[in-house]
Amino acid sequence: MIKLCHIDDIPEDSSKGFEYNDHSLFAVKKDGQLFIYKNSCPHLGVELNWQEDQFLDMDNALIQCSTHGALFLIEDGQCVAGPCLGEQLQTIAYTIEDGMVTVDSR
Ligand code: FES
């Protein structure tokens, strides 16, 4: 198990990237809920962000790939615009214990 951070370390309507053991993930907090995805665009398999912790569009309403601009729903990672329309980001399961967000290390 890998402890990513404390739930309060991710402000509302923002995203944060994490790297460990060759894994790249990111978390988005919206309406007090946390969503975690693998940092890999279904279009070309590249990382979505070009700047640290920047995974959202200008309105912080959707997840955006910086390479070709694909847009994904924060709630389920489904692509709603762009070259991978209809495909989905890979969800990462997590648990929160004493405020610490933890994911499986595999
Ligand atoms: S690599 Fe993400 S939209 Fe093309």
Side-chain angles (χ1 to χ4, degrees), residues 40-48 64-72 81-84:
S40 174
C41 182
H43 182 213
L44 294 181
V46 297
E47 296 197 337
L48 291 124
Q64 183 166 39
C65 177
S66 61
T67 305
H68 306 111
L71 295 167
F72 305 86
C84 43

Side-chain angles (χ1 to χ4, degrees), residues 6 96-100:
H6 194 276
I96 299 180
E97 229 172 282
D98 295 331
M100 290 304 296

Side-chain angles (χ1 to χ4, degrees), residues 38-98:
K38 187 174 173 186
N39 186 5
S40 174
C41 182
H43 182 213
L44 294 181
V46 297
E47 296 197 337
L48 291 124
N49 58 316
W50 59 278
Q51 267 189 337
E52 210 184 331
D53 299 333
Q54 296 291 320
F55 293 87
L56 301 179
D57 67 354
M58 269 170 45
D59 301 329
N60 293 333
L62 293 163
I63 296 163
Q64 183 166 39
C65 177
S66 61
T67 305
H68 306 111
L71 295 167
F72 305 86
L73 297 179
I74 291 174
E75 293 83 355
D76 64 5
Q78 195 183 343
C79 180
V80 290
C84 43
L85 183 66
E87 293 187 62
Q88 213 154 358
L89 297 172
Q90 190 184 326
T91 312
I92 305 289
Y94 66 89
T95 53
I96 299 180
E97 229 172 282
D98 295 331

